[in-house]
Amino acid sequence: MEMIAACGLVCTTCPAYVAGRTTDRALQEKTAAEWSANYGIEVKPEDVVCDGCQSAGPRLFSHCTVCDVRACAHGKSYVTCAECGEYNECKTINGFFGFCPEAKPVLDGLRVK
């Protein structure tokens, strides 16, 4: 079953989610190296494990625990930002789309439903 994060990323295809389900050490190492290089942060292989944005934890990728998009949506009792009446004008989610443009069509598709 597909899990969509508050921001529109598909958790169930995220390497941290997959690694958490499969305990694939090679995937954890590869993802940690890629994310460290791509985002200029230190990501350790053991950090690449997550139960998905919609879970209460205890395993959430470190960024997900401090994600402004997730905090806002869940603070408003929304599953995703697609439910929010301020979606089109929101600087937070639209700023996020600059980093992860693949999330926008997911949320736009949810808004149509």
Side-chain angles (χ1 to χ4, degrees):
M1 183 172 159
E2 188 175 69
M3 181 190 302
I4 307 297
C7 64
L9 291 177
V10 181
C11 293
T12 45
T13 62
C14 174
Y17 183 89
V18 173
R21 294 287 182 257
T22 63
T23 61
D24 183 338
R25 183 65 181 183
L27 177 61
Q28 289 176 295
E29 291 172 355
K30 177 180 180 260
T31 303
E34 287 175 1
W35 288 357
S36 293
N38 292 346
Y39 301 113
I41 58 173
E42 182 184 355
V43 179
K44 298 175 185 168
E46 55 271 15
D47 296 333
V48 181
V49 60
C50 188
D51 291 326
C53 181
Q54 303 306 332
S55 76
R59 300 182 317 167
L60 287 174
F61 180 64
S62 60
H63 175 74
C64 300
T65 63
V66 297
C67 175
D68 292 338
V69 174
R70 182 177 187 269
C72 180
H74 292 186
K76 293 179 179 179
S77 297
Y78 297 143
V79 174
T80 72
C81 294
E83 300 171 60
C84 186
E86 299 171 32
Y87 173 78
N88 290 319
E89 298 80 30
C90 179
K91 291 180 181 176
T92 303
I93 192 62
N94 284 290
F96 175 76
F97 294 151
F99 294 102
C100 295
E102 66 274 17
K104 185 173 183 1
V106 174
L107 290 181
D108 288 347
L110 291 174
R111 288 181 63 80
V112 172
K113 291 180 180 177

